Amino acid sequence: MRKNYKISKVLIVVLILIFFLTFLLFKFYSEKVTPKIIEVAEVRIKRFTESFLSNNIGYDILNGDVIEDILVINKNDDGEILYVDYNLDQAYLALDTVTEELNNLLVDLENGYVEDDTDNSITGSEYGLILELPMFIASDSALLANLGPKIYMKVNFVGSLLTNIKSQIVDYGMNNALVELYVTIKITEELISPVTKSTQEIEYDVLIASKVINGRVPTFYGGKIVEESSLLSIPIE
């Protein structure tokens, strides 16, 4: 009985040591790899968001005469394009349309409605948008990168959704110019895990209209004219 009692004590001590050393190892590994995991997660989320924006915001969101409605193009007597102005009422109407549509899409993402298959590690759930990564993804070894227990990170859209209109005019051919109209979108995203939280701002230009017009860009502009409207901001619900 004494011998069995000693063996039991040794086993208990060994188990305590194993648990303690495992805890220290896990804590050390967690502190070392957490920044790398956050870095990988931010890249995944940025790629997903850009794909999501390009797939949902485009030519079909506004009518085909959007350039004539928004842009006021000024030329000199030689037909050269000097500068671009905005019809503010039409510009804000277009921005309001795009911003409202984007806000609705972001609300759907927050509620877990995901139809984009760009990255299979990002899925929708009853808890919202979830990013799933293996623990060893930050490993320098390609063999270990996809192994280990899963780490789940919730994605929130925080702050305000910022949009503005940007036009770009470049020489196109001999006596023509290509006019492109973009909506610049700025979104702040928050990554939340059990041990850390990180935010990043994503800025993305979406081409919503383009047209070839008669006129040239003067050489002193370097063959390109870029103008931006003021920002439109609404809170992300």
Side-chain angles (χ1 to χ4, degrees):
M1 290 180 64
R2 288 181 178 179
K3 184 176 181 181
N4 291 336
Y5 178 73
K6 290 181 179 179
I7 292 175
S8 298
K9 287 181 63 176
V10 171
L11 287 175
I12 292 173
V13 172
V14 170
L15 289 175
I16 292 175
L17 286 175
I18 291 174
F19 176 80
F20 181 70
L21 292 175
T22 302
F23 173 77
L24 289 180
L25 181 62
F26 180 80
K27 187 174 184 299
F28 174 78
Y29 180 80
S30 177
E31 290 176 352
K32 290 294 183 181
V33 304
T34 293
K36 291 185 178 181
I37 291 177
I38 291 296
E39 183 179 345
V40 172
E42 288 178 347
V43 171
R44 293 277 185 92
I45 288 296
K46 183 177 181 180
R47 184 177 62 187
F48 171 83
T49 304
E50 290 178 350
S51 173
F52 170 78
L53 292 175
S54 64
N55 288 337
N56 290 280
I57 303 295
Y59 275 77
D60 57 344
I61 198 170
L62 297 172
N63 64 63
D65 297 327
V66 63
I67 287 184
E68 286 83 354
D69 293 339
I70 295 175
L71 296 183
V72 179
I73 299 174
N74 296 273
K75 303 179 182 179
N76 61 16
D77 295 337
D78 297 325
E80 294 180 324
I81 299 171
L82 296 179
Y83 63 93
V84 177
D85 202 355
Y86 289 97
N87 182 322
L88 291 180
D89 291 337
Q90 294 298 325
Y92 274 101
L93 181 62
L95 281 178
D96 186 61
T97 300
V98 173
T99 305
E100 183 179 358
E101 178 65 19
L102 270 173
N103 191 59
N104 292 335
L105 291 169
L106 292 180
V107 170
D108 287 342
L109 283 181
E110 288 273 17
N111 292 329
Y113 303 125
V114 181
E115 297 181 357
D116 195 305
D117 58 355
T118 302
D119 194 331
N120 293 329
S121 64
I122 299 176
T123 58
S125 71
E126 59 180 317
Y127 305 106
L129 194 63
I130 302 297
L131 172 63
E132 180 182 318
L133 295 174
M135 178 178 288
F136 296 141
I137 194 169
S139 172
D140 294 329
S141 171
L143 296 176
L144 298 177
N146 293 316
L147 301 178
K150 301 297 182 183
I151 300 173
Y152 298 94
M153 307 183 74
K154 190 177 187 303
V155 182
N156 287 336
F157 299 95
V158 297
S160 296
L161 175 63
L162 302 176
T163 58
N164 76 312
I165 286 182
K166 180 174 73 174
S167 64
Q168 178 174 284
I169 302 177
V170 295
D171 281 327
Y172 187 80
M174 295 296 294
N175 294 299
N176 299 305
L178 176 63
V179 182
E180 296 177 326
L181 197 62
Y182 295 85
V183 170
T184 299
I185 301 166
K186 294 182 181 179
I187 304 173
T188 302
E189 296 176 327
E190 185 178 60
L191 294 171
I192 302 174
S193 73
V195 295
T196 187
K197 182 171 69 174
S198 171
T199 60
Q200 66 171 342
E201 184 178 86
I202 294 178
E203 182 173 337
Y204 189 71
D205 289 336
V206 179
L207 178 65
I208 59 172
S210 64
K211 186 176 182 180
V212 177
I213 64 170
N214 183 256
R216 295 178 60 250
V217 179
T219 55
F220 55 79
Y221 280 115
K224 179 186 292 188
I225 299 176
V226 178
E227 296 284 348
E228 291 191 20
S229 71
S230 55
L231 287 171
L232 179 65
S233 172
I234 64 170
I236 296 177
E237 299 178 359

